[in-house]
Amino acid sequence: MQAELIFTGTELLLGEILNTHAQYLGRRLLALGIEVILHTTVGDNWDRLAQVLRQSLQRADLIIITGGLGPTSDDLTKETVAGVLGLPMVVDEPTLRSLEEYAARRRVTVTEGVAKQACFPAGARILPNPVGTAPGALLEHQGKVLVLLPGPPGELKAMFEEAVVPYLSSLVGRGPVIYSRGIKVTGLGEVGVQQLIGDLEGEQASIAYLARPGEVHVRVSARAAGA
């Protein structure tokens, strides 16, 4: 299974916040044997997000989109996904009731923006948010899997661990998986290390080298037919 990651938010493009999602999701997906083939960061713009999503659907089996699930007008992820897939947006009644109960406890009114968080592309599986108000979503569409996660790191990690990891681990026949191991070498430069182990590379295995002060980090990755 190959995955693409789409990070939404103009604040990421402007460098106002650090994109920690890339590192976290990359590591977690690798641990699950899923190969990440591309990262894309896109601002809060319907047309550009739609263009990126259409391209991702042509390349990847799994597309994870972060951010854009909140109550404001620049939160466009669910609406864009629905438009690209040709799905209507529908209200999830349990989510709406949960938002209403949350608002009642805080003695605030459920505005149109807040209620927006209860709307999802038709057929989506709702992913509860254990530490926030914006639920995520998971869609299976024409052999592809799309996962929509919230932007705040604490919410994203909690939702991924509690809902997405069990789902991905349960997939049967999900195709080739990736196994990867890291090695640290001292006393040699990158070229010297490659001369020693470069012949291990082949059609099913790849080697990456990263020079660090006093050592070389080597990552050996191999594909297998299945988990």
Side-chain angles (χ1 to χ4, degrees):
M1 174 176 278
Q2 293 184 320
E4 286 199 26
L5 309 179
I6 302 174
F7 308 107
T8 73
T10 301
E11 67 277 8
L12 295 175
L13 291 176
L14 298 178
E16 293 177 348
I17 63 172
L18 180 65
N19 182 6
T20 59
H21 298 338
Q23 183 183 55
Y24 167 75
L25 290 172
R27 288 177 171 175
R28 294 299 289 121
L29 290 169
L30 177 62
L32 293 168
I34 297 172
E35 180 183 14
V36 177
I37 60 173
L38 192 68
H39 292 181
T40 304
T41 301
V42 61
D44 301 310
N45 179 281
W46 197 99
D47 291 329
R48 285 192 282 273
L49 177 55
Q51 180 183 29
V52 169
L53 179 56
R54 291 189 186 101
Q55 294 169 345
S56 297
L57 287 167
Q58 295 175 3
R59 292 184 294 245
D61 311 299
L62 168 66
I63 297 122
I64 297 179
I65 307 176
T66 71
L69 303 182
T72 56
S73 59
D74 60 344
D75 291 311
L76 303 168
T77 297
K78 292 182 293 184
E79 293 82 356
T80 307
V81 168
V84 170
L85 300 183
L87 300 172
M89 292 287 288
V90 297
V91 175
D92 180 68
E93 293 296 339
T95 299
L96 181 58
R97 287 195 297 272
S98 177
L99 290 170
E100 291 172 342
E101 292 168 1
Y102 178 84
R105 290 195 299 271
R106 291 177 170 261
R107 298 183 180 180
V108 298
T109 302
V110 177
T111 64
E112 182 178 347
V114 173
K116 174 176 179 281
Q117 294 179 108
C119 295
F120 298 88
R125 180 186 306 183
I126 313 305
L127 304 181
N129 189 331
V131 294
T133 60
L138 187 152
L139 296 97
E140 297 176 343
H141 184 80
Q142 297 181 357
K144 308 289 184 176
V145 176
L146 293 89
V147 178
L148 316 183
L149 298 174
E155 297 181 27
L156 179 145
K157 292 178 180 179
M159 187 179 295
F160 187 83
E161 297 297 338
E162 293 190 17
V164 182
V165 169
Y167 168 81
L168 294 176
S169 299
S170 71
L171 293 180
V172 177
R174 63 184 184 183
V177 295
I178 295 292
Y179 293 96
S180 185
R181 291 292 183 271
I183 306 167
K184 295 181 181 180
V185 181
T186 61
L188 288 172
E190 286 182 283
V191 174
V193 175
Q194 181 174 329
Q195 289 174 340
L196 287 177
I197 66 173
D199 58 352
L200 296 177
E201 289 194 87
E203 185 175 342
Q204 298 298 323
S206 63
I207 302 176
Y209 306 88
L210 176 61
R212 292 288 180 88
E215 60 188 21
V216 176
H217 293 193
V218 181
R219 178 161 295 280
V220 182
S221 302
R223 290 177 175 81

